[in-house]
Amino acid sequence: MKNENHLKKRIAAGEMIVAPGVYDCVTARLVEQAGYDAAYMTGAGTAATLGFPDYGLVVMTEMADNAARICTSVSIPVIADADTGFGNELNVTRTVREYARAGVSAIHIEDQEFPKKCGHLDDKRVIPLDEFLPKIRAAAAVGASEDVLIIARTDARATLGLDEAVRRANAALDAGADVAFVEAPVSMEEVAAIPRLVRGPCLLNIVWKGKTPDVAFEDARTMGYRMAILPGLLLAGVMEACEAVLEETARRGRHAALSPNLSVNEIFRRMGAEEWDHLRGAFRPAP
């Protein structure tokens, strides 16, 4: 079921939505239970679950299928990575329809060449603006009918400079995008300049040890950002935790000592066991 889309109203009210990156139903549920108002389905994390780096190796149906599983598991809005839209405006049209069917509340589409790569890697290449804008127009047409926010991402800062990235962001907003996403500004001055120069709501991508400086959420909101995503927060955190517990298990020669708060029952409870326990006897006559 599609989550009711409250993102536009919150953006218009001047709020900033903070969305930690999730890559499966476990991480999505933990984000919701931690009290965040939205989750971000990371493309890098989705690729990692399939055993790939973020090099554009995951196809649209794999991304949309993951988005559908995540949306089914939570009631908060899900913002999702849609890479380059997986082709031209025809492919973008199908992409937005599939993501809408999955239940996402917002998607972002970028101007990298296909196959793309993580926005915080070197040697990215972008397509001409006159090839990008038809994709945004197509996405906006579907997004308007499906109640999906369209976030236009430009990776032009890396190869063409900040001025061109801002020009592309504004052109995408004029073409119908709801939010602009200038990827990988490299200084705090650039981070602060983007919301001043872009004529619409902006998204900030906070990547630990990426190209963009670390920014406090309140500082980003004061600068004018209306969305902040943290794609690698849980992916990196889980990797680090798994490596630590595996190392401890090998060192001890027995099961690592885990938190006493995470019993088998508690793990299942966090995944919705209470609902299913109720259903177990709800349709049978009382003994």
Side-chain angles (χ1 to χ4, degrees):
M1 178 187 298
K2 180 175 172 58
N3 297 319
E4 186 178 355
N5 197 339
H6 298 293
L7 296 180
K8 281 187 180 180
K9 184 183 296 185
R10 295 188 58 188
I11 290 171
E15 297 182 43
M16 191 180 78
I17 297 148
V18 177
V22 305
Y23 52 84
D24 63 6
C25 298
V26 175
T27 51
R29 281 182 175 268
L30 292 176
V31 165
E32 182 174 41
Q33 290 164 13
Y36 288 89
D37 296 321
Y40 170 67
M41 189 197 83
T42 157
T46 299
T49 66
L50 297 171
F52 298 116
D54 189 15
Y55 285 0
L57 299 170
V58 181
V59 301
M60 183 272 284
T61 50
E62 291 172 320
M63 293 281 278
D65 286 348
N66 196 35
R69 289 189 292 271
I70 289 169
C71 289
T72 300
S73 70
V74 296
S75 59
I76 57 175
V78 174
I79 303 162
D81 187 349
D83 288 349
T84 63
F86 306 97
N88 65 14
E89 54 268 34
L90 301 183
N91 306 96
V92 167
T93 296
R94 186 184 174 209
T95 294
V96 181
R97 287 175 178 170
E98 294 295 331
Y99 275 63
R101 187 175 294 113
V104 303
S105 295
I107 67 170
H108 66 74
I109 296 171
E110 67 204 55
D111 60 357
Q112 280 197 55
E113 289 185 354
F114 182 85
K116 56 75 56 83
K117 59 168 62 175
C118 169
H120 289 255
L121 296 177
D122 294 327
D123 301 322
K124 297 183 295 182
R125 297 170 64 91
V126 295
I127 61 176
L129 182 59
D130 62 4
E131 292 181 19
F132 181 49
L133 293 181
K135 296 208 259 188
I136 295 302
R137 295 188 191 105
V142 181
S145 64
E146 297 286 354
D147 197 23
V148 174
L149 268 70
I150 304 302
I151 303 165
R153 167 177 155 176
T154 175
D155 286 67
R157 165 62 188 88
T159 56
L160 303 176
L162 183 63
D163 289 345
E164 175 61 15
V166 168
R167 185 175 82 90
R168 287 177 173 230
N170 282 323
L173 290 168
D174 291 342
D178 299 289
V179 177
F181 174 2
V182 176
E183 174 65 302
V186 298
S187 68
M188 196 63 78
E189 291 74 21
E190 289 190 357
V191 172
I194 288 167
R196 294 199 307 266
L197 298 173
V198 173
R199 299 186 298 270
C202 291
L203 179 151
L204 178 64
N205 187 15
I206 303 175
V207 177
W208 183 250
K209 300 300 182 183
K211 293 184 178 295
T212 301
D214 186 32
V215 183
F217 303 146
E218 181 56 26
D219 291 342
R221 189 196 67 78
T222 301
M223 290 174 187
Y225 287 94
R226 293 296 169 256
M227 285 185 174
I229 56 174
L230 295 84
L233 179 69
L234 295 183
L235 178 61
V238 166
M239 284 184 170
E240 185 175 51
C242 287
E243 288 173 350
V245 78
L246 289 168
E247 180 180 344
E248 182 184 351
T249 298
R251 178 179 56 79
R252 297 181 75 213
R254 63 190 304 166
H255 198 299
L258 303 177
S259 169
N261 297 324
L262 285 177
S263 65
V264 173
N265 285 337
E266 175 59 18
I267 291 171
F268 293 162
R269 187 193 69 78
R270 296 189 188 193
M271 295 302 108
E274 292 175 354
E275 175 190 358
W276 296 99
D277 287 340
H278 169 74
L279 291 174
R280 191 185 300 276
F283 305 106
R284 294 175 178 266

